[in-house]
Amino acid sequence: MTTQSSIDTSTTGRHIPALDGIRGVAILLVLVVHLFGFNTNYNGGFAGRLLARTTDAGWVGVDLFFALSGFLITGILYDTVQSKHYFKNFYVRRSLRISPLYYGFICFGILVVTLIGYQWFGRSLLIHLTYTQNLLSAGPVSTANWFNLVPFWSLAIEEHFYLFWPSAIYLLRSKKRIVTCALILAAISIGVRFWLFFSGKAAASPYLPYDWTPARLDTLLFGAVLAMLVRSQYRDRVLRLAPTLACLGFVMLVLYGVHAKGIHHVGDPGMSTIGYSVVGIVACAVIASALRPESLAQRTFSVSVLRFFGTYSYGLYVFHFTVARLLELRFRPLLREHVSNALAIVGTGVLTMAISVVVAMLSFHFFEKPILSLKRHFQDDSPVPKLRKRLSFRG
């Protein structure tokens, strides 16, 4: 979700605005589920139940981020694998994009929580500083329940992916070997989820199949496979079939949601085993559809409002949960008392989104962007090859 550059070097080597739009859709889905999804009434009337089940499905936005990150990162790695400073450039550039805001936000939280007199739990803070929060459960970061780092589990998964995937690309080199490796690792990840489910571990810890790194690598790896396919002789076929696959997958998920009374991200046997993979494949199909020049998908995802949210998606992801908790504690009770519960939920959600957008914009332009300018010192010394329309899959 943190990949900033939307480059389709497999097609033109230029910036593809539609991929920014896809990132915008992903963050909007996350905002919907976090700001509205857990507050609606599953026991109300038909409209209320439909709204609840629709908004709660917004968790798929995280998988859309995963697929997009796997696609873009693998493309960057493959296209620069001949670079003399391949590892240094990749890791420095990734660190410049991710770490300043991540650690800056945590440090800000430490300062505020300390000033207002809350006690910190050392081990809980340590696992967030080391991106191991989804590997070791240590409870909340502080006793201040408004300062919440819950969404950071997905950032940890991406960081774990970055630890091994650049080396895999460097060693494999061939598109065919990269695809084979990615599919094997994805199958292992799916197998881990089945093991968690049938061993009873998922029953004891329902979130384990959802946010444990070994169980959630498949969508990132599906994105990696897509990156290789669009650089192969199968490119045109993949882009042509992608819209059909996306529509079929979407219909399957809707039908499953009707059957299961919602597309639940935890506690659902279907989603906790093979369902995440279906979501990941649909996400990849959506990305591939957006790569087709002048297609309906590309035009749709290129609209300015989606690209706007895509530009500030990282900051929105980092800030929105804490803003939401602050308003839920202070602002929502007032609205609930003077108007209604439904308006309190909607009002708090809309205000949270507006404040988060402003904070994310300020963060991007005055904090992140100056740091990102340092990337120019770590450019790849071997240019991205000018790719032909059709390439040998043997790589």
Side-chain angles (χ1 to χ4, degrees):
M1 73 198 56
T2 56
T3 304
Q4 186 67 18
S5 176
S6 297
I7 301 296
D8 176 25
T9 53
S10 65
T11 305
T12 62
R14 62 182 174 84
H15 185 86
I16 302 295
L19 298 187
D20 289 328
I22 289 177
R23 190 181 292 108
V25 170
I27 190 61
L28 286 172
L29 287 169
V30 171
L31 290 174
V32 164
V33 70
H34 283 171
L35 305 185
F36 306 102
F38 299 126
N39 300 305
T40 44
N41 185 8
Y42 270 64
N43 299 316
F46 173 78
R49 294 196 305 272
L50 179 62
L51 177 63
R53 290 163 185 166
T54 302
T55 54
D56 276 359
W59 63 266
V60 301
V62 173
D63 289 66
L64 190 53
F65 274 127
F66 282 162
L68 190 58
S69 290
F71 172 75
L72 291 171
I73 289 299
T74 302
I76 290 169
L77 291 170
Y78 181 79
D79 292 339
T80 61
V81 73
Q82 301 293 340
S83 171
K84 180 179 178 181
H85 302 292
Y86 167 80
F87 287 104
K88 183 186 76 172
N89 287 344
F90 174 77
Y91 282 114
V92 171
R93 290 171 67 87
R94 283 292 83 208
S95 296
L96 289 173
R97 181 67 193 110
I98 299 169
S99 297
L101 182 57
Y102 181 90
Y103 288 113
F105 182 72
I106 292 177
C107 290
F108 172 78
I110 292 174
L111 176 62
V112 174
V113 170
T114 301
L115 289 176
I116 61 180
Y118 282 102
Q119 181 181 0
W120 280 81
F121 300 111
R123 180 170 176 265
S124 183
L125 176 60
L126 178 63
I127 65 173
H128 282 86
L129 293 176
T130 56
Y131 291 102
T132 55
Q133 57 267 53
N134 67 321
L135 300 177
L136 302 169
S137 177
V141 174
S142 79
T143 53
N145 60 1
W146 55 266
F147 182 66
N148 202 311
L149 302 181
V150 166
F152 284 16
W153 67 269
S154 62
L155 302 180
I157 288 181
E158 291 196 13
E159 287 297 298
H160 301 159
F161 180 67
Y162 299 155
L163 287 178
F164 73 89
W165 196 236
S167 296
I169 300 293
Y170 185 80
L171 294 173
L172 296 170
R173 307 261 175 152
S174 159
K175 289 188 287 291
K176 186 174 183 179
R177 289 197 293 268
I178 292 170
V179 167
T180 301
C181 177
L183 291 177
I184 290 173
L185 293 176
I188 292 173
S189 187
I190 297 169
V192 168
R193 292 203 299 270
F194 273 92
W195 169 71
L196 291 172
F197 178 75
F198 286 106
S199 68
K201 295 183 181 297
S205 301
Y207 275 87
L208 202 56
Y210 182 67
D211 62 12
W212 194 40
T213 297
R216 293 291 271 137
L217 290 173
D218 50 327
T219 299
L220 284 155
L221 293 163
F222 291 152
V225 170
L226 177 62
M228 294 296 95
L229 289 178
V230 299
R231 286 164 170 77
S232 76
Q233 61 184 339
Y234 300 106
R235 168 188 172 274
D236 290 342
R237 187 182 306 174
V238 169
L239 299 189
R240 185 173 61 253
L241 294 176
T244 302
L245 179 60
C247 290
L248 288 175
F250 179 77
V251 170
M252 286 177 58
L253 290 172
V254 170
L255 292 176
Y256 181 81
V258 172
H259 170 73
K261 298 182 179 179
I263 302 177
H264 307 290
H265 66 302
V266 294
D268 183 287
M271 293 308 302
S272 298
T273 50
I274 198 64
Y276 299 150
S277 296
V278 175
V279 173
I281 292 171
V282 172
C284 288
V286 169
I287 294 168
S289 300
L291 296 178
R292 296 183 64 191
E294 302 304 321
S295 65
L296 175 61
Q298 187 171 93
R299 293 195 300 271
T300 300
F301 290 116
S302 296
V303 299
S304 57
V305 64
L306 294 181
R307 292 170 57 196
F308 171 85
F309 279 98
T311 299
Y312 303 109
S313 59
Y314 183 33
L316 283 168
Y317 194 81
V318 169
F319 296 124
H320 79 277
F321 216 75
T322 291
V323 175
R325 290 295 173 260
L326 282 169
L327 292 179
E328 286 172 5
L329 289 172
R330 303 295 183 184
F331 184 66
R332 181 177 293 174
L334 293 176
L335 285 179
R336 186 180 291 117
E337 180 181 352
H338 292 93
V339 284
S340 69
N341 185 55
L343 286 177
I345 293 170
V346 173
T348 304
V350 171
L351 184 59
T352 297
M353 189 176 295
I355 294 174
S356 298
V357 166
V358 172
V359 175
M361 291 177 66
L362 292 173
S363 170
F364 181 77
H365 289 288
F366 296 103
F367 178 67
E368 300 166 64
K369 201 170 182 179
I371 296 174
L372 290 174
S373 67
L374 298 175
K375 282 186 173 184
R376 68 182 184 275
H377 299 297
F378 302 94
Q379 297 286 355
D380 299 303
D381 51 16
S382 58
V384 174
K386 185 176 178 59
L387 302 177
R388 299 187 303 274
K389 187 174 182 179
R390 293 186 179 274
L391 300 173
S392 170
F393 190 73
R394 292 173 294 179

